[in-house]
Amino acid sequence: MSAVFRRGHWNSSPWCSLDDFYTALDRGEIQAGQAIIFRYLGPKGGPGMPEMLGPTGALMGAGLGGKTALITDGRFSGASRGFIIGHVVPEAILGGPIALIKDGDKIVIDTVEKTIDWIVTPEEEAKRRKEWEAAGRDQIRVTRGVLKRYARDVQVRQLSNPVHYD
């Protein structure tokens, strides 16, 4: 395993839209040394955790697969490649730290210690949390149907997932 994948320092590049990410990748705005952060793709935020094979394949195709990290509250299949971390909880829509990361923030990933550290002061984190709460980013985007029920009722996998028929 490469030393950078044992313990690496990364500059964050957060995305709330896969389309915006693909556009930035096409423009050459995604660079080696970035931790690409995909958020609002978890069970509630997706809803349903869309698969991340497309973004990992695009990074590999751009020659960045071994030079970037990808972190998401979404999921990966067995076909995904690269330095990837998925199923991050609490997910963004629930106010997890992944929701508060801004472009250029420092991220330290240590695979030996199994830690991900986001380097901001507690004061900065509190400020961002207030901004996030005021922006209403905790609202489920799906407004009707089965996906609305799913997004409303789904919980992290360690908890049961009851279905409500109302």
Side-chain angles (χ1 to χ4, degrees), residues 44-114:
K44 286 186 178 291
M49 297 183 81
E51 211 283 319
M52 295 277 95
L53 182 59
T56 60
L59 287 168
M60 295 302 277
L64 294 170
K67 301 173 185 169
T68 56
L70 197 157
I71 303 170
T72 183
D73 51 9
R75 69 181 179 88
F76 296 102
S77 72
S80 294
R81 299 183 345 184
F83 188 37
I84 54 178
I85 301 167
H87 299 263
V88 173
V89 294
E91 64 178 290
I93 201 165
L94 297 176
I98 194 170
L100 309 177
I101 296 171
K102 291 189 178 182
D103 195 50
D105 284 354
K106 303 300 180 210
I107 308 287
V108 178
I109 302 170
D110 188 325
T111 59
V112 175
E113 295 298 321
K114 299 180 182 173

Side-chain angles (χ1 to χ4, degrees), residues 5-83:
F5 295 126
R6 288 190 193 105
R7 187 172 203 286
H9 295 254
W10 306 86
N11 295 315
S12 65
S13 177
W15 300 91
C16 298
S17 161
L18 293 179
D19 291 338
D20 292 345
F21 162 76
Y22 288 126
T23 299
L25 185 62
D26 288 342
R27 290 183 184 153
E29 296 170 8
I30 305 299
Q31 302 292 317
Q34 288 182 318
I36 313 313
I37 313 286
F38 287 116
R39 53 192 174 195
Y40 299 101
L41 296 174
K44 286 186 178 291
M49 297 183 81
E51 211 283 319
M52 295 277 95
L53 182 59
T56 60
L59 287 168
M60 295 302 277
L64 294 170
K67 301 173 185 169
T68 56
L70 197 157
I71 303 170
T72 183
D73 51 9
R75 69 181 179 88
F76 296 102
S77 72
S80 294
R81 299 183 345 184
F83 188 37

Side-chain angles (χ1 to χ4, degrees), residues 89-153:
V89 294
E91 64 178 290
I93 201 165
L94 297 176
I98 194 170
L100 309 177
I101 296 171
K102 291 189 178 182
D103 195 50
D105 284 354
K106 303 300 180 210
I107 308 287
V108 178
I109 302 170
D110 188 325
T111 59
V112 175
E113 295 298 321
K114 299 180 182 173
T115 59
I116 303 171
D117 293 314
W118 171 42
I119 311 302
V120 294
T121 65
E123 296 79 16
E124 180 64 19
E125 182 177 354
K127 175 184 166 214
R128 291 185 190 184
R129 181 158 310 283
K130 285 182 183 177
E131 292 169 353
W132 178 83
E133 290 168 351
R137 295 299 309 239
D138 61 338
Q139 300 301 307
I140 295 171
R141 295 178 285 190
V142 180
T143 59
R144 61 187 179 95
V146 173
L147 281 179
K148 178 184 178 186
R149 287 183 187 166
Y150 175 84
R152 178 193 66 198
D153 295 342

